[in-house]
Amino acid sequence: MNKQIFLRIAKYVSICLLTVFIAAVVLGGGLFLYYVSKAPALSESKLVATTSSKIYDKNDELIADLGSERRVNAQANEIPTELVNAIVSIEDHRFFNHRGVDTIRILGATLRNLRGGGGLQGASTLTQQLIKLTYFSTSTADQTLSRKAQEAWLAVQLEQKATKQEILTYYINKVYMSNGNYGMQTAAQNYYGKDLKDLSIPQLALLAGMPQAPNQYDPYSHPEAAQERRNLVLSEMKGQGYITAEQYEKAINTPITDGLQSLKSANTYPPQMDNYLKEVIDQVEQETGYNLLTTGMEVYTNVDPKVQQHLWDIYNTDEYVNYPDDEMQVASTIVDVTNGKVIAQLGSRHQSSNVSFGINQAVETNRDWGSTMKPITDYAPALEYDIYDSTASIVHDVPYNYPGTDTPLYNWDRSYFGNITIQYALQQSRNVTAVETLNKVGLDRAKTFLNGIGIDYPDMHYANAISSNTTESNKKYGASSEKMAAAYAAFANGGIYHKPMYINKIVFSDGSSKEYADPGTRAMKETTAYMMTEMMKTVLAYGTGRGAYLPWLPQAGKTGTSNYTDDEIENYIKNTGYVAPDEMFVGYTRKYSMAVWTGYSNRLTPIVGDGFYVAAKVYRSMMTYLSEDNNPGDWTMPEGLYRGGEFVFKNGARSAWTAPAPQQAPTPESSSSTSESSTTDNSSSDNSSSDNSSSQSSSTPSTSTSEQNTQQPNPRTDVQNQSPQVQPRRR
């Protein structure tokens, strides 16, 4: 190839590349113009508007008008320079050097993303953040090319029409600052009793850092996170030269509580609705990307106000449950099993009315749900995958090690019943048979089954047969009252799982609306759900859950008790009697599923004595209220099953149960009583012996109802012995 030919080829290639480039520019420009033509009109009224969102209950009655609680706008001349410096340090270093869109920042963010590195700031400028707060969704899923183009166009327009000072003023007055406070001036007055101009540098740094996650950085509810965020702002201020090293050292050594006043109640809604509204806010953002605290909309929820009020009354009065003290806490969730609608939820007793949308223990996964995991982790998968073909299938309650280890596994009483049915094993909450069953199922299949009912772990361990502890503190893993109520609801409705739903419909600011409902997915066979229900009926009638028993109501459920490690017992727990950090009950009827956790905010404060009966009593009180005027009736056995005595068999299974060789079971210390008296009297008694257990022989599972009914429940029958594979989780 001679030089002339080479030059000619190079010329044609250059022309082609230039043509492609010009075409791309023209096409991109045209696409950009098309996108921005759909952008909303820039309006000062929108930028300064006091936006409120109205929340309604299931009856379309107004619960709350969020956004109208507290708002005091600051004038430009009332904003101190130190606050401006703090905001631009953490949000937009080059705020005073760009015109709405920062190309240098975009390139920097792109390079960081390509390198896989992180950074304190993304590509959006402070002006773009204000536009997003005013007009658009904050959801990552909504960060489309069209939306980004519109956001950039409006930001450039705003920079042309407003000064930097005016833009900062809009932002400072727009942001949500937690606890019903809108705007930083409002927060300054209510947190510190001062105006912005009178605050110290560390106080201003805290306010500047809060808007990205106001509830997470709330200094009242989350002081450690708030301090970490404040110190990050201070570090950025020092790095940008806004404060000296001496000022920085003094500021970071200032307690986060410095100057904080006691919060005054800002809520205009009933106190019993606070926890529920927090979850409404979260679900709205998950589903739409919009923060209803800063975006005006109407949200119709699934909360039943009468049920929510009754749950509040159960928690906060002695009319229904006798609590051992005012410090004992309760968290529970109630769902409609037919559709997954959360009709009531409450995360604690004696809630402070001063803090809005704080920690809701009903959705937290930081406590161990103990034996309530056995039905969903062990026995239901075993029936689903045909490892067992009847509720009379035999398991072996004998000395046993965690699979693949030399670590012995014990039942609560360190005794063994020998060969017993899975129904009796679940009824009496035996640990050995639960782990044996999980081993037969396999960790992978168990995890798949759990995923289908909304439960997940980063890694499954055999200890998860009897515990919800995880190796990660992320709320997506483990169990909560919300997750457990929804999971057990799948048993109640024939195997269909529904995601917990707080919202029913949203009417957006432009007048458009959207309804929200979970269609449900099949999580298990109908036969599996029915067999599990039949087994868990006996938990209430004859087993560990008799404190929740109602003779007139068809229902099923399971108790759960967590435990302390030997180290915790030795070093922290001073009580020498029987103690535990958590006691749970999960139960359901054909209409409702309810999960209840009880314990103390400080995990090292133990449950003792009658405290073990509180969870079951809360459940029984609530189910009595829900069902006494609307008994949902009993379940109908589906095709593919048949009944043989006290047991249910799959078609093709053994038609008769053959008793194994007799095994000696522990002898109870307490005398017999009728089922009715045991649910009223025995539920409040304190069985002090750690060896107290059922007298039913493992070799006679077909014992008559009258004989089985003499068994005395014991709160200790489902205490879990932790495998060293999964340690108690701290958060």
Side-chain angles (χ1 to χ4, degrees), residues 244-314:
T244 65
E246 291 76 17
Q247 288 175 309
Y248 170 75
E249 289 297 328
K250 181 180 179 181
I252 64 168
N253 288 314
T254 302
I256 196 67
T257 55
D258 180 57
L260 281 178
Q261 300 188 126
S262 297
L263 275 177
K264 299 176 181 178
S265 178
N267 301 334
T268 59
Y269 51 83
Q272 68 268 23
M273 291 296 182
D274 186 79
N275 290 153
Y276 196 99
L277 290 175
K278 181 177 188 292
E279 302 316 308
V280 169
I281 294 167
D282 288 348
Q283 192 160 76
V284 167
E285 188 158 10
Q286 292 169 14
E287 296 290 341
T288 70
Y290 288 101
N291 184 343
L292 64 77
L293 294 170
T294 56
T295 307
M297 59 181 70
E298 295 181 350
V299 181
Y300 295 82
T301 73
N302 296 318
V303 66
D304 187 320
K306 292 183 178 179
V307 177
Q308 186 74 12
Q309 180 65 58
H310 193 75
L311 188 61
W312 175 272
D313 293 341
I314 291 173

Side-chain angles (χ1 to χ4, degrees), residues 9 37 133 169 192 197 290 423 456 501 529 661:
I9 293 172
S37 69
L133 280 173
T169 303
Y192 300 108
K197 60 183 176 60
Y290 288 101
Q423 180 165 292
D456 195 15
M501 293 301 297

Side-chain angles (χ1 to χ4, degrees), residues 12 20 30 59 68 77 79 161 193 196 209 221 230 236 264 281 347 416 474 547 632 634 659 691:
Y12 289 140
V20 171
N59 303 318
S68 64
N77 61 2
I79 299 172
K161 295 180 178 181
L196 286 171
S221 300
R230 181 203 67 178
E236 289 296 297
K264 299 176 181 178
I281 294 167
Y416 305 96
N474 193 314
D634 206 347
D691 292 327

Side-chain angles (χ1 to χ4, degrees), residues 593-648:
S593 175
M594 182 179 185
V596 184
W597 166 87
T598 60
Y600 291 86
S601 299
N602 181 354
R603 186 179 170 278
L604 295 177
T605 301
I607 299 172
V608 299
D610 289 348
F612 285 102
Y613 300 104
V614 169
K617 288 182 176 181
V618 169
Y619 169 88
R620 186 173 65 179
S621 296
M622 196 70 238
M623 280 301 175
T624 299
Y625 174 80
L626 289 170
S627 306
E628 59 186 354
D629 295 326
N630 185 23
N631 192 321
D634 206 347
W635 288 266
T636 301
M637 186 166 63
E639 294 183 1
L641 302 176
Y642 68 93
R643 188 175 301 278
E646 299 295 321
F647 304 102
V648 177

Side-chain angles (χ1 to χ4, degrees), residues 150-449:
Q150 294 174 11
E151 181 187 296
W153 173 250
L154 291 175
V156 171
Q157 280 192 302
L158 180 58
E159 291 271 359
Q160 293 173 348
K161 295 180 178 181
T163 66
K164 293 288 187 180
Q165 187 181 44
E166 289 171 333
I167 292 170
L168 276 167
T169 303
Y170 291 142
Y171 177 83
I172 288 169
N173 290 330
K174 192 78 169 178
V175 292
Y176 180 64
M177 299 296 291
S178 190
N179 297 305
N181 296 291
Y182 292 80
M184 295 184 183
Q185 176 76 324
T186 317
Q189 293 182 356
N190 288 291
Y191 290 173
Y192 300 108
K194 300 177 181 178
D195 293 329
L196 286 171
K197 60 183 176 60
D198 298 320
L199 298 186
S200 66
I201 289 175
Q203 291 168 344
L204 291 169
L206 172 63
L207 298 185
M210 286 183 66
Q212 288 297 325
N215 292 328
Q216 179 181 338
Y217 301 134
D218 177 8
Y220 296 92
S221 300
H222 305 283
E224 293 181 358
Q227 181 165 313
E228 184 177 349
R229 180 66 173 176
R230 181 203 67 178
N231 291 349
L232 178 60
V233 175
L234 292 168
S235 176
E236 289 296 297
M237 291 179 72
K238 180 169 75 78
Q240 295 297 307
Y242 291 125
I243 58 175
T244 65
E246 291 76 17
Q247 288 175 309
Y248 170 75
E249 289 297 328
K250 181 180 179 181
I252 64 168
N253 288 314
T254 302
I256 196 67
T257 55
D258 180 57
L260 281 178
Q261 300 188 126
S262 297
L263 275 177
K264 299 176 181 178
S265 178
N267 301 334
T268 59
Y269 51 83
Q272 68 268 23
M273 291 296 182
D274 186 79
N275 290 153
Y276 196 99
L277 290 175
K278 181 177 188 292
E279 302 316 308
V280 169
I281 294 167
D282 288 348
Q283 192 160 76
V284 167
E285 188 158 10
Q286 292 169 14
E287 296 290 341
T288 70
Y290 288 101
N291 184 343
L292 64 77
L293 294 170
T294 56
T295 307
M297 59 181 70
E298 295 181 350
V299 181
Y300 295 82
T301 73
N302 296 318
V303 66
D304 187 320
K306 292 183 178 179
V307 177
Q308 186 74 12
Q309 180 65 58
H310 193 75
L311 188 61
W312 175 272
D313 293 341
I314 291 173
Y315 277 32
N316 295 292
T317 71
D318 292 327
E319 183 178 351
Y320 305 94
V321 177
N322 291 320
Y323 296 94
D325 50 58
D326 287 340
E327 285 68 44
M328 187 176 206
Q329 289 301 323
V330 184
S332 60
T333 301
I334 306 170
V335 302
D336 186 326
V337 304
T338 64
N339 50 35
K341 292 181 178 181
V342 180
I343 66 166
Q345 183 181 86
L346 200 56
S348 66
R349 300 172 64 218
H350 309 306
Q351 290 182 338
S352 171
S353 62
N354 297 332
V355 177
S356 299
F357 314 134
I359 296 174
N360 178 10
Q361 189 60 45
V363 300
E364 295 293 323
T365 61
N366 59 340
R367 306 301 283 260
D368 182 12
W369 280 73
S371 287
T372 61
M373 305 308 297
K374 291 174 181 175
I376 57 178
T377 307
D378 312 321
Y379 297 107
L383 290 169
E384 180 72 6
Y385 300 126
D386 296 320
I387 293 167
Y388 301 141
D389 59 11
S390 75
T391 61
S393 295
I394 297 299
V395 285
H396 310 97
D397 191 16
V398 296
Y400 189 79
N401 294 337
Y402 280 99
T405 75
D406 296 327
T407 305
L409 169 66
Y410 301 104
N411 294 309
W412 72 270
D413 54 3
R414 300 226 171 189
S415 68
Y416 305 96
F417 290 178
N419 293 343
I420 56 177
T421 65
I422 60 171
Q423 180 165 292
Y424 189 63
L426 182 61
Q427 178 194 120
Q428 299 300 313
S429 200
R430 309 305 286 173
N431 292 342
V432 168
T433 58
V435 178
E436 174 196 2
T437 297
L438 178 57
N439 189 31
K440 293 176 180 177
V441 171
L443 295 177
D444 290 342
R445 287 201 294 185
K447 191 173 189 296
T448 298
F449 184 90

